[in-house]
Structure formats: structure tokens, C-alpha cells
């Protein structure tokens, strides 16, 4: 791979600048020779965070914008590997798409700036590395360059590395905020559509785990269909929305792909399940509400998913004192299970530190975490009892 360091002026890059408002993409510059947004690049996101304004302020102060990378695709054509956000920012400013505040706090578009300031921006020097080489080489290198500005998400990198018709179609479906399905999906999928996080979930689900995404993309890279991804994604969403009648905010971003794999072949009564979810959701003893859905899907066999609140220290001490006093009077062990046993411990008085709190009536069977449902057991008996 060949790289060459070059200088460009903002003015040159902005010649023939085209911005697609609908797609949120800077498209061309350098009088048409430069493709600003190759298909594997993320959409323009600087505008959302006002970083576009910061780019212009840097230029007005004479600060460098940092290294920019171009890929030389042919003798006369270049595309931006890194720097697309910065280029789109000044391109949009120079073409009057947004304003910045001047020293008097007034919003100014480019055309409203003093002549010398306009020239300062247009004459700003940009340092550009132009590289030339096999696609795979460049993509590998692009993956490893330290990207300034907003760091790329994993999936944005994967899109770059495995760019092609498959990625293009995937982005059209899953990274397109104009897709009417996004609203429905967002009940179950978290993250930002334009940062490729829905596309990432779709790939993660169909490939059965995030660690398999790269292999899956590599295998399907040149396909002109994403039917398998779509079908699988919709199966998962249809299953969740069918099994659980109500949507809670805690359902967003759960591992629905994995849950679908594990539980979709089981039969559930959505009405019953729904009622149970509401009950658990209102249970003050449950600390991890996000565990509720897997808990009910798995037949309520793993209470640890819920992180049920345990008895606090004063409550334990209170139970310990009462139990120990009664046991001493009766001449039996203060562990009720030791007391009824035939072993050497049937009259043993355990220290508080040697005992653990137990739900008399198990939490999983409706027992509350309250004083009248607390008993202290010796550690051996408490652990043998389990499921508290
Ligand atoms: Zn015991």
C-alpha cells in the first residue's frame, strides 16, 4: 500500500460540494472527484451534537482539523476514508446550511461573515493522507487507524471491512430512520438506528451471537439479498410481541435473540404470562426488573435473575435475638432445623455470624422479605434448604 501526504484547501474540497439532506450524507467534493460518503461510512452525525459548529470555530481560530484520509480509487477519483464528518461540516457551512455565533453572539451564516473570516475558512489548510492499495489492505488499515472525532462503533467498522451489496441492503432496512418499523422495533431493541445498532442486533440474532457477526458478514458479503436476516429478525420480534402482551421500558435491549433461541419452541399462555409479569413488576423485593422476562420464560426456576432483596441487618438481629432467647429457655438449638435433628448440634446456640436469614415461606412462593417471614438458620441448614 502506498500513502502520500498532501495538502488541500477547504475551498478546493468544497468545490461542487453536494449534500443529501434526505439521507444525511455529504456526497461529493473536489469538483466531483471526491466521494465524501462511501457506502460503508456512517451517516452525518456531527449536526446532532453541535460538533459541526465546533469544526467551524476551530477553523476560525486557525486550529488544524486533524489528519484526514483519502483512498485513491483511480487516477482521478478519491474517496474519504476518515474525515467525512469534518468535511461535511465545513461543506455544509460554506453552502449556507447552518450558522455559527460570532463574537457578538449573533448567529451568522457563511455569507454573513466578514470577508476576511470567509477567506480564513476557505484558505484553511487540510493535511490529507492519500492511500492507494488493494481494497482489503486499505480496509484492514482503516480498521486500525486511530479515528479522531466520534469513535466508530464496532458495527460501523464491520460495515467498512465487509462493505458491499449486503451491507448496503442491510443499512437500507435497519439503519434507516425513515423505516416505519423502527418504532415497533424500538420497544425491544436499544441503541441508535444511525449508529448501526439495529443492524448489529439483526446480525447478532441471525448469526447467534455478537462474536459471529464478522464471520456471517464475510460469508454473505456479496449477496444481493438480506432475506435471511430480515426473516430471522422479524421472527424474534413477532415472538416477543406475541408472548408478552404489554411493553415495559425494561424490555428494551434485552437479549431477545438468545431468549428466542432458548424458549420459542415452548408453549406459553400470553394472558397468564402477562399477569405474572405485572405482579413481579410491582413486587418491591425485586431489584432486577430486567430479569423478569427470562424468569417467567424459564418457568420461574432461576430467582437469581431477579436479584431479590435480602433481609437487612437490623431485621436479622431482631430475629436472631428472639429465636436465641426462646431456644435458651427451651434448652434447644437456636437453629430450628438443628433443634429437631438428632445430631450433636440439637442444643447448640449459634452466634449471629454463624447464621443466615431465611424466608420461612420462600420468596419464590410468595413469601415476603419481612420480619414475620424471617428465620435464622445455621449456615449448613440454610444452604441445604436453598431456594429462599
Ligand atoms: Zn442448623
Amino acid at each position: 500500500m502506498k500513502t502520500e501526504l498532501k495538502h488541500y484547501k477547504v475551498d478546493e474540497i468544497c468545490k461542487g460540494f453536494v449534500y443529501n439532506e434526505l439521507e444525511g450524507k455529504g456526497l461529493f467534493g473536489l469538483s466531483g472527484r471526491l466521494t465524501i460518503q462511501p457506502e460503508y461510512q456512517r451517516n452525518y452525525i456531527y449536526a446532532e451534537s453541535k460538533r459541526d459548529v465546533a469544526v467551524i470555530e476551530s477553523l476560525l481560530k486557525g486550529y488544524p482539523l486533524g489528519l484526514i484520509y483519502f483512498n485513491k480509487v483511480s487516477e482521478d477519483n478519491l474517496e474519504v476514508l476518515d474525515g467525512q464528518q469534518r468535511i461535511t461540516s465545513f461543506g455544509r457551512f460554506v453552502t449556507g446550511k447552518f450558522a455559527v455565533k460570532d463574537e457578538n453572539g449573533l448567529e451568522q451564516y457563511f455569507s454573513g461573515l466578514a470577508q476576511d473570516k470567509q477567506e480564513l475558512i476557505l484558505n484553511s489548510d487540510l493535511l490529507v493522507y492519500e492511500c492507494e492499495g488493494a481494497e482489503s489492505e486499505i480496509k484492514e488499515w482503516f480498521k486500525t487507524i486511530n479515528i479522531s472525532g466520534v469513535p466508530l462503533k464496532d458495527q460501523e467498522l464491520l460495515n467498512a471491512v465487509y462493505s458491499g451489496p449486503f451491507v448496503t441492503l442491510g443499512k437500507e432496512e435497519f439503519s434507516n430512520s425513515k423505516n416505519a418499523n423502527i418504532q415497533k422495533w424500538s420497544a425491544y431493541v436499544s441503541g441508535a438506528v444511525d449508529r448501526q445498532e439495529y443492524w448489529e442486533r439483526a446480525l447478532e440474532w441471525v448469526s447467534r451471537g455478537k462474536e459471529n457477526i464478522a464471520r456471517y458478514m464475510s460469508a454473505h458479503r456479496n449477496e444481493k439479498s438480506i432475506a435471511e436476516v430480515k426473516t430471522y429478525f422479524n421472527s424474534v420480534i413477532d415472538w416477543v410481541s406475541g408472548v408478552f402482551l404489554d411493553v415495559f421500558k425494561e424490555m428494551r435491549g434485552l437479549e431477545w435473540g438468545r431468549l428466542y433461541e432458548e424458549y420459542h419452541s415452548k408453549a406459553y399462555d400470553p394472558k397468564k404470562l402477562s399477569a405474572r409479569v405485572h405482579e413481579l413488576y410491582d413486587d418491591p423485593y425485586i431489584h432486577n426488573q430486567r430479569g423478569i422476562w427470562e424468569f417467567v420464560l424459564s418457568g420461574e426456576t432461576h430467582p437469581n435473575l431477579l436479584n431479590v432483596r435480602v433481609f437487612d441487618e437490623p431485621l436479622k438481629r431482631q430475629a436472631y435475638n428472639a429465636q436465641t432467647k426462646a431456644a435458651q429457655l427451651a434448652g434447644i438449638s437456636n437453629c430450628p432445623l438443628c433443634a429437631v435433628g438428632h445430631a450433636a448440634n440439637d442444643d447448640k446456640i449459634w452466634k449471629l455470624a454463624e447464621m443466615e436469614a431465611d424466608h420461612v415461606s420462600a420468596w419464590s412462593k410468595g413469601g415476603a422479605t419481612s420480619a414475620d417471614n424471617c428465620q435464622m438458620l445455621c449456615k449448613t441448614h440454610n444452604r441445604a434448604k436453598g431456594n429462599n
Side-chain angles (χ1 to χ4, degrees), residues 8 30 33-35 70-73 76-79 130:
Y8 287 95
L30 268 180
R33 286 177 55 221
L34 178 69
T35 303
F70 290 170
N71 174 21
K72 197 165 179 183
V73 282
D76 222 23
N77 288 288
L78 299 157
E79 62 179 33
E130 282 186 14

Side-chain angles (χ1 to χ4, degrees), residues 333 335-339 350 377-381:
S333 172
C335 166
L337 295 183
C338 285
W350 300 92
L377 295 179
C378 74
K379 284 182 180 169
T380 311
H381 274 124

Side-chain angles (χ1 to χ4, degrees), residues 264-279:
H264 80 277
S265 56
K266 286 182 152 188
Y268 297 100
D269 177 344
K271 271 197 174 154
K272 275 191 195 158
L273 222 51
S274 197
R276 184 63 179 136
V277 166
H278 275 279
E279 211 171 271

Side-chain angles (χ1 to χ4, degrees), residues 103-337:
E103 62 273 26
N104 300 315
L106 297 171
E107 297 267 339
Q108 297 289 1
Y109 285 89
F110 180 75
S111 57
L113 289 179
Q115 188 76 28
D116 61 322
K117 289 197 171 153
Q118 290 189 4
E119 276 168 18
L120 181 62
I121 289 176
L122 294 175
N123 291 325
S124 296
D125 189 49
L126 301 169
L127 268 184
V128 178
Y129 259 115
E130 282 186 14
C131 40
E132 207 180 336
E135 194 191 1
S136 58
E137 256 182 332
I138 288 176
K139 280 173 179 166
E140 186 53 40
W141 175 75
F142 178 59
K143 201 178 162 185
T144 55
I145 52 175
N146 184 21
I147 287 131
S148 53
V150 184
L152 289 180
K153 299 262 187 197
D154 293 350
Q155 190 57 46
E156 290 172 329
L157 281 172
L158 287 173
N159 285 352
V161 174
Y162 299 108
S163 71
F166 184 76
V167 164
T168 305
L169 289 170
K171 289 178 68 174
E172 256 171 49
E173 176 72 13
F174 293 101
S175 310
N176 173 5
S177 53
K178 301 210 164 48
N179 182 337
N181 289 319
I182 299 276
Q183 177 73 20
K184 179 186 178 186
W185 297 344
S186 69
Y188 313 107
V189 178
S190 63
V193 175
D194 62 353
R195 299 300 307 272
Q196 312 304 320
E197 289 172 282
Y198 282 56
W199 173 224
E200 181 180 49
R201 282 298 80 62
L203 288 165
E204 176 189 327
W205 292 355
V206 74
S207 65
R208 315 292 197 271
K210 199 175 165 182
E211 67 281 7
N212 303 322
I213 294 179
R215 206 179 319 134
Y216 188 89
M217 290 180 80
S218 168
H220 296 268
R221 179 175 183 182
N222 294 313
E223 289 174 12
K224 292 181 180 65
S225 161
I226 54 160
E228 186 181 59
V229 185
K230 272 173 83 166
T231 305
Y232 193 87
F233 185 84
N234 287 324
S235 304
V236 175
I237 297 288
D238 290 347
W239 173 74
V240 189
S241 55
V243 168
F244 295 108
L245 302 178
D246 302 302
V247 171
F248 293 79
K249 67 178 191 301
E250 288 80 3
M251 295 169 85
R252 201 170 178 226
L254 292 181
E255 297 173 72
W256 292 117
R258 178 180 63 78
L259 295 174
Y260 172 78
E261 276 303 304
E262 282 181 43
Y263 301 110
H264 80 277
S265 56
K266 286 182 152 188
Y268 297 100
D269 177 344
K271 271 197 174 154
K272 275 191 195 158
L273 222 51
S274 197
R276 184 63 179 136
V277 166
H278 275 279
E279 211 171 271
L280 293 167
Y281 195 79
D282 293 334
D283 187 327
Y285 300 112
I286 291 175
H287 268 197
N288 182 31
Q289 290 182 310
R290 286 172 63 80
I292 289 174
W293 290 271
E294 183 166 7
F295 179 69
V296 297
L297 286 170
S298 64
E300 310 207 354
T301 48
H302 298 91
N304 56 327
L305 287 167
L306 303 175
N307 189 12
V308 175
R309 200 175 81 179
V310 293
F311 295 103
D312 61 18
E313 287 309 315
L315 220 152
K316 282 197 239 176
R317 183 170 293 279
Q318 189 191 338
Y320 175 83
N321 288 341
Q323 253 173 257
T324 304
K325 203 169 148 190
Q328 279 167 335
L329 281 172
I332 55 172
S333 172
N334 59 347
C335 166
L337 295 183

